[in-house]
Amino acid sequence: MWHLAALFPGQSTSDIRLAAWPDFNRSTPSIVPATPYSASVVALLKSNILTAFLAAEIRLNFHALETDLVDNVQTAIERKSRAAQRDWDLLSAVCALLYPIATSGRPVQLLDPFPVYTIKTGGAYTAWRTQALAAVRDALRLIPHVEARFEEARLAITTEFLHACSSSGSSTLPYKAVQTLSQNLLPDLWVSSQVHVDNQRKFAAALRGLADSSELSPDYLLLLKGVITSDLFTEGLPWLSSDLQAVSTIMDVVQRYLASADAGTAQSQKLENILNWLELKELARVPDLGPLGQNDAGPSTPRFVRG
């Protein structure tokens, strides 16, 4: 099952063995997490649902159908509405995946099924056309909010996978855990804006779980290294607020990891940079007292700055 899921690393791959993506629909996310699926398979399938969603293409398809519905171009409506059904199913699957994830923006709604096309009677067709037009316009309004949540969703999927890895309590990790993380989850893990505090705290807890488990197996250390050296830990950590719980937990993990790293290496330098960024998050919690509120030592500076 893992290898089947791994056949879909992205639409841009040069070697796509299957002619089309598997069919995802609204029920897919509710089926995936059930036992006995491996956490690796769950992570791959959830990630693939997001990767299969080509927002620009789907938006164009819905706009084309909307135009024909408004103009009542009946010769094209039937063909385009049937083609739109696959896009609708995929959008429904994405919404069902995103719906339970905490967000700092507008929540994503679940979609009702797309109205089934019928031309049995003139009245039935008119009613369908009205319902279909309303559905397509709802989808077009929803797509930007769906796109805005993709970064947060990828962080949530990665967090869920890391938690599954660290909660096993033994040296046995999910199937091909290192490959799942490094080849399928981390390459797309880029978060450019602050995520919901619940997602920050859950990620920090999962990271601490990896650090606590690193003595059980070298693979835990590889997972931890992969996350900390990924693009998620980019300059300034824009996805992280000054939440004390999340910041202090991540800082503890990075400090522990830095203690085992070779001094003077590129890895240790990045770890020190991360600690500097975390320190700034901590300082952001202190109210600005202005010049009269400063002590004799002058303004605070991050304690991990070198040189």
Side-chain angles (χ1 to χ4, degrees), residues 71-138:
D71 296 339
N72 199 17
V73 186
Q74 192 168 340
T75 54
I77 285 176
E78 180 178 5
R79 174 179 55 83
K80 290 184 179 179
S81 65
R82 298 190 191 285
Q85 183 65 60
R86 182 182 177 88
D87 292 337
W88 188 272
D89 288 344
L90 181 54
L91 177 58
S92 297
V94 172
C95 290
L97 176 61
L98 300 182
Y99 186 74
I101 299 175
T103 178
S104 53
R106 178 178 173 180
V108 170
Q109 67 195 66
L110 294 176
L111 290 175
D112 293 326
F114 191 75
V116 179
Y117 180 83
T118 177
I119 53 173
K120 291 181 180 179
T121 65
Y125 168 76
T126 300
W128 172 87
R129 178 169 165 261
T130 300
Q131 296 169 5
L133 184 58
V136 167
R137 286 174 172 172
D138 282 343

Side-chain angles (χ1 to χ4, degrees), residues 291-301:
L292 296 178
Q294 294 177 355
N295 57 31
D296 294 337
S300 299
T301 55

